[in-house]
Amino acid sequence: MRDFAVAFVAVVVTLACGTVSADPREDSTIRLEARSQLALQPAVAHEHLDVSVQDGGVHLSGSVGTLFQKWRASDAVAHVKGVTQIVDELE
């Protein structure tokens, strides 16, 4: 029982110190979630958008009707876990 307690404390201390980091999210997962977030935006016609991801950086391209739609698309993707950068080339 003592060994278990020592191991548990070691894990808690290691996690608290930040020496164990989670693996970054896969680009395919980020792309899927970004597309899902865009689909949830009624103001954005997501059918005309292309989303590509490389190393956590999201590239948005395609066309939207208004500046507001462009902003909403970028904002929706910004909230996806694992996104490190957004390149917004929406027209």
Side-chain angles (χ1 to χ4, degrees):
M1 184 66 164
R2 184 178 184 282
D3 291 336
F4 174 77
V6 170
F8 179 77
V9 169
V11 169
V12 170
V13 169
T14 301
L15 291 174
C17 291
T19 56
V20 174
S21 61
D23 291 331
R25 293 184 82 190
E26 293 287 328
D27 287 344
S28 59
T29 303
I30 294 171
R31 182 179 184 276
L32 181 64
E33 191 170 328
R35 298 232 9 117
S36 295
Q37 288 300 316
L38 289 169
L40 292 174
Q41 299 300 316
V44 178
H46 64 278
E47 302 86 17
H48 304 290
L49 304 182
D50 183 49
V51 178
S52 60
V53 181
Q54 183 175 356
D55 299 326
V58 176
H59 181 259
L60 297 173
S61 60
S63 61
V64 292
T66 66
L67 186 59
F68 176 74
Q69 291 174 336
K70 180 176 175 158
W71 177 80
R72 287 300 304 146
S74 186
D75 185 58
V77 171
H79 291 92
V80 173
K81 182 179 176 184
V83 171
T84 58
Q85 175 184 6
I86 299 173
V87 177
D88 184 349
E89 294 186 349
L90 296 172
E91 298 177 0

